[in-house]
Amino acid sequence: MADDKTRQEAHNDAEELFVLATGCRCPQFAGMRDGAVLDIGPGGLTAYVFMANPSPSEIAMIKSGSLDATAGRVDDVLVMTMRFGGKRGVEYDVYYTPGFTGMPEIPEIAEEDEGMGYMLTVAVFDRRGTCRALRVTYLSTEMSRYVHETVSLIAGEPFDVRAYHDTCVKVMRHYSLYELRRRAACRFSVPRRGEAVDGKGDADVR
């Protein structure tokens, strides 16, 4: 998990990235500590995963393994977990608060009868700031609605940097990833690439 400054820097730097592509180099992300940060913008959700030296197996799990995601609220912070490749795979927790990023409003989601939620982009960067893998999928309408409602409620409360920091410390000290998954209000899963169910799965990103 990144600290507050790292999260803000990643958000600010992300605003300068117009195109993400495997193999592109983003100097802003060089030297980031291992972990992941979450950004929400007009295009949906983006999880920036930082790994100093990702192995081929880790890249494969993130890019094409199964994806299990959860979402919940701790105080005034949206907390999500993402696990790639099953129980022995790669997993991260990510935090988001609109007050910290300064985003005034979260984008609306598609109508429920359209069967599509927020687009989720996962981008993996190594220690040099090189994008090693991209993955694009769509969250369920249920999870997208939960994210939208939670962030909208949080945005309506006064933002306190110290309270945000205290919440992050509380989560790190008292909740394991297992506990965060267990306490989550909403869950969503995507099968391994090539095993899409009912037409739902990842977009093809090279």
Side-chain angles (χ1 to χ4, degrees), residues 156-178:
E157 300 294 330
F159 177 59
D160 185 321
V161 175
R162 176 170 292 183
Y164 168 81
H165 176 74
D166 290 344
T167 296
C168 293
V169 171
K170 178 174 72 174
V171 173
M172 287 186 287
R173 287 180 177 175
H174 300 292
Y175 300 113
S176 64
L177 282 168
Y178 169 82

Side-chain angles (χ1 to χ4, degrees), residues 95-110:
Y95 305 159
Y96 180 83
T97 177
F100 190 71
T101 61
M103 183 176 177
E105 185 175 347
I106 186 172
E108 294 294 332
I109 61 173

